[in-house]
Structure formats: structure tokens, C-alpha cells
């Protein structure tokens, strides 16, 4: 590629700068920002474009109903918790869920973390007031710190550089876990059997026994379990912080196309998906597979215009619509979008985010969700796809591998008082390890019923 065309492409990547960008931090110092983005622009990629292309192929399989997507991780990752134990627990939880879902769906599961970059959050206000003191709102560890002091809440662009380093080492660890035997099918199944020792989960024993028999059958047939010791694991996050995403974008020498190398997959949030906004403009220019969150007010025209802008070539695997309607809305809001998509021949994968439309405040004052609502939205998602004849492609979950108490219910019956025991999230409530597995068993039952 000539120097000239690289320059043209670089300029084109900056077209978003003239458009309104919602949810950006008010960086107090332009020089600090320029220094941080220069460091990022000169740094090695986190996610390689070839892996992003491979993920696109896998998501194309999801859109055709030949694979199922499982995407999960924290609402907001934190720098302090990016340690091997917590990351390992999250990977383990996702792998355990994936085995159950693979069996339920009789299909490969595409595994993706909301990890290694999920460090920036949209907020309802630029400021937070406590006891009459007003400070900048916490916007994620890549922007400022959670602690409620003026120093901590000052947006600091060097935090993006710190976030870049932590994301890189997180992905490195994820690869070590998923390539180094941690993902061995028999071992993951053994973990699931451990989970089922708790009498609260008795109803899932049948599924676990079926998986057990399937593994024994594979062994008897001489299956190569050595080859099943490694899995592909991708990472994605909300592409919210445009200064970071732009600085991480490179022209890939192999394809001569721009890729956002901060992750394999990027999604645009419900609050920043305006057709004429900076986020949609910027992401339309990079070649990664993209997600777009769609809430209950989305119209058929909104959805078609987003698809036209982000995927004019109708490239399989490019676009995943992640619906987050709320349990009370999904059965009325989703059918019209799916019918429209089918009528217009849209090529997209569909996933459900049963978390963000179901946030409530508990009687004890915690931001929480009910496990029953989460499950009800997933159930509605399958029902509606089935009725319209489209493909329910996957799950997008806020979860953690630890035993936190942030979501109400589940077989262990966390109640309003129980939330206080271990409520650790920085932003939204996450399913804990047990609730995540329980959800996987319940979804596996739905997948079997849908066959
Ligand atoms: C999120 O995924 O953390 C989020 C903010 O979701 P949404 O954009 O769907 O509200
Ligand atoms: Co969230």
C-alpha cells in the first residue's frame, strides 16, 4: 500500500471527530490527553486483526444457526481485580457454562469475555453528588477512580495507558488458561459435577448425567481428548471511549484495512448508537466484528439504518444485534424488529442481553436484578425467535466467577437482606458463579426443547 493511501485512510478514521460524541469524559488537560494517546498509538496491538477475522467467521456461523454465542464478564472490570485468581474464576465459569450450552444446543459455542478492555462506562450524569459534595461521576477505571475524592474522580488520560497494559496482560492470561489444559473438556465437566453436589441444583443432575454419558461415549469411540484441551476464546468490550479506540486502531498490513486492535469484538451501547453520532461513524470504519445494543424503543427504521451504515456489504458475521429489552418488554418489542429483519433479509446474529433492561433498586437500596427476570427475558428471546422463524444466536451476560451477592434469587435464594453480604460491583449487579451455571443449565433445557 502506498504511503498516500495510508494517509487517506488515517484521515478517514478521524471523520468521527466532527460529530457529537456522547458519554465522553471531560478531560481536564489537552496536553495530558495528547501524551496518553501518543503512547497508545505507538504501542503493540492487544488483539490481532487475524483473530478478529476468525471471530467474524464464527459469528457468521452464529447468524446461520450453526453455533451459539456466549459472551460474559463484568459490567465494569477494575484494575485492582485484574489478578490471576479472579480472571481464572471468570474463565472457568464461562467454560463451565459453555460445556452445558454445547450439549444443550448440540452446536459449538463461541466463547467471548466482556474482558480485557471493559473499563469505560456510560453514566446518566457527568457528576455525582453525595452529602452536598459534587464530583465527576465514576466513568470506569480507564477514566477515573471509584473512590469519592476530588483526586480520584479527576479524569486522567494516563489511565487509558494503564488500562491498555492491564488489558494486554489479561488477554495473555486468558490465552494461557484456554490453551494450557484449563479448558480440558473432562476437567470442566468435573467442575460442573462439583457444582451439582449442592442439593439446591438437583434438577440439573439429569443434564449432567447426559453430558457424562456423552463424554464416556466419546472416549469409547477413541475421541482425541488431547485436541479438546484447548479452546478459542475471544474478548470484546463496549467501544465507548473514542480517544482510546482511535489510538488503538491500526492499518493491518495483511489486509490493508483498519482494525481496532483493542479487542476482537467491539459493541456500541444503547446510549451511543445514534446514526449521526461519533461512535457509529468511527466503528463503521474499522473491520472488526461489531455488536449494537438495541433497547425497547428501537424502531425497524433505526435498526435498518444502523445495519446499512455499519454493514453496507451485508458481510456475514460483521454485525451482532444484542437486544436488551427487559423481561416485561421483550415479547412486544422484539417481534417487530425480527419480522422487519427477516423481511429485509438482514444478515445479523442475534444475542440477548437479559441484564440491562432488568435493573431495579432493592428494598435495601442496592442496584440489583432478579434472577427470575433475567431468565424470563431469555425465555422470551427464544419464544419470539421461534415464532418469527429467526435464529436466537446467543447470550450476553454480566457475570463473575466469584461468590458475590448482587442479583436476587437463584436456587440459593439471595434476598434483599442477603445482597449486603458480598456486594462488590462498581457499576451493575452481576450473576455470581452459581447463578451463572444455573442459568446455563436452564438455557440448555430451553435449547433442547427448541430442537
Ligand atoms: C453495558 O453493557 O454495560 C451497558 C451499559 O449496556 P447498554 O448499553 O445496553 O445499556
Ligand atoms: Co452494565
Amino acid at each position: 500500500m502506498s504511503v498516500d493511501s495510508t494517509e487517506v485512510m488515517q484521515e478517514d478514521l478521524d471523520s468521527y471527530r466532527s460529530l457529537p460524541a456522547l458519554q465522553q469524559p471531560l478531560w481536564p488537560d489537552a496536553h495530558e490527553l495528547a501524551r496518553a494517546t501518543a503512547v497508545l498509538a505507538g504501542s503493540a496491538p492487544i488483539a490481532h486483526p487475524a483473530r478478529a477475522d476468525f471471530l467474524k467467521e464464527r459469528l457468521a456461523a452464529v447468524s446461520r444457526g450453526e453455533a451459539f454465542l456466549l459472551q460474559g464478564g463484568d459490567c465494569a472490570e477494575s484494575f485492582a481485580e485484574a489478578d490471576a485468581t479472579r480472571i481464572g474464576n471468570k474463565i472457568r465459569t464461562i467454560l463451565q457454562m459453555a460445556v452445558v450450552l454445547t450439549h444443550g444446543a448440540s452446536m459449538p459455542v463461541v466463547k467471548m469475555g466482556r474482558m480485557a478492555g471493559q473499563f469505560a462506562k456510560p453514566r446518566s450524569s457527568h457528576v455525582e453528588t453525595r452529602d452536598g459534595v459534587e464530583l465527576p461521576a465514576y466513568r470506569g477505571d480507564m477514566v477515573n477512580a471509584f473512590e469519592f475524592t476530588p483526586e480520584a474522580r479527576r479524569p486522567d488520560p494516563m489511565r487509558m495507558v494503564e488500562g491498555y497494559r492491564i488489558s494486554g496482560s489479561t488477554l495473555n492470561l486468558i490465552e494461557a488458561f484456554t490453551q494450557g489444559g484449563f479448558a480440558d473438556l473432562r476437567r470442566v465437566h468435573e467442575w460442573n459435577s462439583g457444582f451439582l453436589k449442592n442439593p439446591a441444583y438437583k434438577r440439573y443432575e439429569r443434564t449432567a448425567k447426559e453430558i457424562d454419558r456423552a463424554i464416556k461415549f466419546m472416549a469409547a469411540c477413541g475421541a482425541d481428548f488431547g485436541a479438546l484441551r484447548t479452546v478459542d476464546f475471544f474478548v470484546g468490550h463496549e467501544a465507548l471511549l473514542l480517544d482510546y479506540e482511535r489510538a488503538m486502531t491500526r492499518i493491518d498490513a495483511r489486509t490493508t484495512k483498519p482494525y481496532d486492535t483493542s479487542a476482537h469484538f467491539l459493541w456500541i451501547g444503547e446510549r451511543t448508537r445514534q446514526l449521526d453520532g461519533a461512535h457509529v461513524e468511527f466503528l463503521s470504519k474499522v473491520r472488526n466484528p461489531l455488536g449494537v445494543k438495541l433497547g425497547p424503543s428501537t424502531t425497524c427504521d433505526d435498526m435498518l439504518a444502523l445495519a446499512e451504515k455499519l454493514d453496507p456489504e451485508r458481510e456475514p458475521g460483521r454485525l451482532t444485534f444484542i437486544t436488551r429489552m427487559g423481561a416485561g418488554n421483550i415479547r412486544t418489542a422484539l417481534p417487530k424488529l425480527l419480522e422487519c429483519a427477516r423481511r429485509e433479509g438482514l444478515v445479523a446474529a442475534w444475542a440477548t442481553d437479559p441484564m440491562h433492561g432488568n435493573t431495579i433498586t432493592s428494598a435495601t437500596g442496592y442496584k440489583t436484578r432478579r434472577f427470575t427476570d433475567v431468565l424470563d427475558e431469555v425465555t422470551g428471546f427464544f419464544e419470539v425467535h421461534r415464532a418469527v422463524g429467526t435464529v436466537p444466536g446467543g447470550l450476553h451476560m454480566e457475570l463473575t466467577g466469584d461468590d458475590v451477592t448482587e442479583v436476587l434469587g437463584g436456587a440459593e435464594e439471595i434476598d434483599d437482606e442477603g445482597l449486603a453480604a458480598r456486594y462488590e460491583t462498581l457499576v451493575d449487579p452481576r450473576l455470581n458463579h452459581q447463578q451463572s451455571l444455573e442459568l446455563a443449565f436452564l438455557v440448555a433445557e430451553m435449547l433442547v426443547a427448541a430442537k
Side-chain angles (χ1 to χ4, degrees):
M1 190 170 42
S2 72
V3 172
D4 280 359
S5 63
T6 307
E7 269 170 15
V8 169
M9 217 176 268
Q10 293 289 356
E11 239 170 63
D12 199 34
L13 285 169
D14 284 320
S15 59
Y16 77 92
R17 292 189 191 273
S18 59
L19 299 176
L22 299 187
Q23 296 288 344
Q24 302 307 289
L26 305 172
W27 302 115
D29 183 329
H31 295 292
E32 274 179 15
L33 177 61
R35 262 202 308 279
T37 54
V39 173
L40 291 170
S43 301
I46 294 173
H48 196 277
R51 291 288 290 171
D53 281 346
F54 177 48
L55 173 61
K56 207 187 279 175
E57 280 172 33
R58 301 302 301 134
L59 290 171
V62 170
S63 68
R64 291 191 300 267
E66 293 163 11
F68 192 76
L69 170 67
L70 173 62
Q71 193 174 10
D74 293 310
C75 178
E77 288 178 284
S78 79
F79 292 175
E81 292 187 354
D83 60 72
T85 308
R86 301 237 190 197
I87 293 167
N89 286 348
K90 255 179 274 177
I91 301 291
R92 195 175 78 143
T93 304
I94 294 170
L95 294 176
Q96 284 182 262
M97 293 172 78
V99 166
V100 178
L101 292 169
T102 304
H103 180 262
S106 307
M107 266 191 257
V109 170
V110 179
K111 295 165 268 291
M112 198 193 315
R114 269 180 76 107
M115 293 172 77
Q118 180 55 22
F119 287 115
K121 298 307 300 172
R123 302 317 304 257
S124 46
S125 165
H126 266 302
V127 292
E128 182 182 344
T129 309
R130 286 191 201 171
D131 302 326
V133 180
E134 188 184 275
L135 291 176
Y138 171 64
R139 288 191 169 273
D141 272 9
M142 261 205 207
V143 175
N144 54 5
F146 187 71
E147 203 192 339
F148 196 73
T149 64
E151 302 72 40
R153 288 294 174 91
R154 178 181 186 274
D156 174 0
M158 283 315 277
R159 294 186 76 96
M160 291 193 286
V161 177
E162 182 71 1
Y164 159 78
R165 296 214 172 94
I166 293 176
S167 299
S169 49
T170 301
L171 184 56
N172 183 53
L173 197 57
I174 290 173
E175 291 193 335
F177 281 135
T178 53
Q179 303 299 311
F182 196 74
D184 187 313
L185 175 64
R186 289 162 301 181
R187 187 160 159 195
V188 176
H189 178 61
E190 241 170 65
W191 288 332
N192 279 349
S193 308
F195 159 77
L196 290 168
K197 289 214 169 74
N198 182 337
Y201 304 118
K202 194 152 180 48
R203 71 170 276 200
Y204 309 119
E205 250 174 25
R206 209 177 108 211
T207 304
K209 282 212 176 100
E210 281 172 15
I211 298 176
D212 214 33
R213 272 212 308 279
I215 292 177
K216 287 192 177 123
F217 175 72
M218 286 165 70
C221 296
D224 178 6
F225 283 100
L228 295 172
R229 292 181 74 228
T230 65
V231 295
D232 290 310
F233 200 104
F234 304 95
V235 293
H237 61 258
E238 178 173 350
L240 183 71
L241 208 52
L242 291 171
D243 292 315
Y244 180 72
E245 305 303 342
R246 172 66 185 92
M248 289 306 298
T249 299
R250 312 273 181 273
I251 309 297
D252 174 34
R254 190 182 47 108
T255 55
T256 68
K257 300 271 188 334
Y259 283 76
D260 182 345
T261 66
S262 72
H264 305 112
F265 180 87
L266 284 315
W267 77 85
I268 308 175
E270 168 72 356
R271 284 179 252 196
T272 51
R273 61 169 173 75
Q274 302 73 24
L275 194 61
D276 51 359
H279 291 81
V280 170
E281 174 71 14
F282 176 66
L283 287 154
S284 74
K285 302 288 168 74
V286 300
R287 298 311 312 148
N288 305 59
L290 301 177
V292 184
K293 295 283 200 90
L294 298 180
S297 64
T298 315
T299 64
C300 166
D301 287 348
D302 293 339
M303 179 186 73
L304 294 176
L306 283 164
E308 184 57 31
K309 171 91 182 161
L310 296 169
D311 183 26
E313 313 282 329
R314 301 199 172 191
E315 181 190 5
R318 161 73 164 172
L319 199 55
T320 301
F321 282 124
I322 306 167
T323 60
R324 31 87 82 222
M325 301 296 183
N329 297 323
I330 185 147
R331 292 171 180 81
T332 48
L334 188 57
K336 61 178 194 295
L337 295 184
L338 296 185
E339 277 154 13
C340 165
R342 206 191 46 187
R343 196 173 56 239
E344 302 294 328
L346 260 198
V347 180
W350 292 92
T352 175
D353 162 0
M355 314 300 292
H356 288 90
N358 295 309
T359 312
I360 55 166
T361 304
S362 75
T364 42
Y366 287 96
K367 189 178 188 186
T368 187
R369 291 161 175 151
R370 289 191 197 91
F371 187 82
T372 48
D373 290 340
V374 171
L375 186 64
D376 190 29
E377 179 150 1
V378 179
T379 310
F381 175 75
F382 280 99
E383 280 170 18
V384 174
H385 276 282
R386 184 166 208 193
V388 180
T390 41
V391 177
L395 297 175
H396 178 112
M397 308 298 303
E398 284 187 346
L399 56 80
T400 172
D402 302 310
D403 291 329
V404 300
T405 54
E406 297 169 5
V407 170
L408 294 165
E412 301 221 308
E413 295 179 6
I414 296 172
D415 60 14
D416 278 31
E417 270 65 47
L419 290 175
R422 214 181 140 186
Y423 189 96
E424 295 179 1
T425 185
L426 296 182
V427 184
D428 287 342
R430 305 158 295 179
L431 296 182
N432 66 22
H433 176 70
Q434 275 91 348
Q435 289 168 327
S436 302
L437 287 182
E438 191 176 356
L439 188 94
F441 275 99
L442 290 165
V443 173
E445 290 178 3
M446 289 179 211
L447 286 163
V448 170
K451 268 182 219 159

